[in-house]
Amino acid sequence: METLCLGPTWSPQFVRSAILHPLSLRNFSESPYLAELFRPDLESRIIGPVDASLGPLLPPLRIYRGSKPYYIPGRCEELLLYTSTVWACLACNAPSPWDACDCSPPDLESLARGSISPHTMMWGHWNQMSEKLESHFNAGFTHVVYADIAGCAGSLDHIRLSEILRHRGAPGRAVDLLDAMHRGWWDFGAQGLPLGPTFWVLLRFYLQGVDERLYRAGVPFVRCVDDYRLLSHGEDEAEKQISVLREALASQGLQLNESKTRIFTRAGVRSLASQKRLIWTGRLKEGVLKPVLTELLRFSMLRPAVLPVLKLFCASQVQPLPCSIS
């Protein structure tokens, strides 16, 4: 049997805490197995990739974030195995100089403490990105490019991901299992990677090549998940930076979302923030209520009351594949 050296953060306890973190639970709040994640025997059902055997996969479940479709594993056992296997790949997560530019969860300091984030909502990470952006402006930059990846979750190539993980020294058994699960879900019509705490980890690996290109090209940037902010001293420099980002994404089989790419001055950023606050008031159901309900699941006394509400709240937002994912 292959000897698998699990990363320093891997343990059944850590995998369980990663799944039950409020940031993660929001991704599973629509799933029919949400209540199963709180069973007292959950930790005993989490096994490492070496001891795992992969049987036939159920069709994954399509869920929505706003109007965007994503997918999650079709049953609890698949979620546990997938999460466990991804965390095993953290053994090859060597720090890079450009890690400081990444505000996405899980940050390396949290991983060292056995967590995925000090924040219970993504707002904490967006605020972190805004604070870094402000510090860049205070350092003398005058313009910022707002850019993101077109259809990010559905555009990530699982074959390319496997190659990246192998190149970085991830345990072979873990990569083989991930590849088998990705191929199985692909056969059901699911493109890209499933949501959850694993998505952020794998995206960090996947975008290392993009971040490195920006760093080595001397482009000051900040990233949170698939959103980039590029800092410059003028529009001409910003246009050149957009070209660098476009080429860097293309090298990883990704595309820049041209329709959402904008150049702002410092004053324009503040105006944009005001506009977004107005937009958020119309997204209370998705942007506030569901995360709050999900966070309440942390409290065992409230869980019996919250679980039925979430089930009713999300019943119409989940369906099994096959279907197309973009």
Side-chain angles (χ1 to χ4, degrees), residues 165-222:
L165 292 173
R166 292 186 197 281
H167 178 73
R168 293 180 62 85
R173 173 61 175 162
V175 179
D176 290 343
L177 269 176
L178 288 181
D179 189 61
M181 297 184 85
H182 290 148
R183 290 177 185 273
W185 290 325
W186 175 272
D187 289 341
F188 285 110
Q191 301 174 15
L193 305 181
L195 283 187
T198 54
F199 177 77
W200 302 313
V201 174
L202 295 178
L203 185 64
R204 181 188 295 269
F205 283 120
Y206 203 99
L207 294 181
Q208 280 281 310
V210 179
D211 293 351
E212 181 177 4
R213 281 198 174 209
L214 292 173
Y215 181 84
R216 299 202 183 283
V219 177
F221 74 95
V222 182

Side-chain angles (χ1 to χ4, degrees), residues 220-236:
F221 74 95
V222 182
R223 177 172 64 79
C224 186
V225 192
D226 66 331
D227 284 274
Y228 280 89
R229 304 291 183 261
L230 316 179
L231 284 301
S232 66
H233 296 93
E235 288 194 21
D236 291 343

Side-chain angles (χ1 to χ4, degrees), residues 22 25-26 119-121 289-299 302 306 310:
L25 282 176
R26 185 186 174 190
H119 308 293
T120 58
M121 295 188 184
L289 297 182
K290 189 188 296 183
V292 169
L293 286 171
T294 304
E295 186 172 359
L296 291 177
L297 292 173
R298 300 167 60 194
F299 305 101
L302 298 177
V306 175
L310 266 174

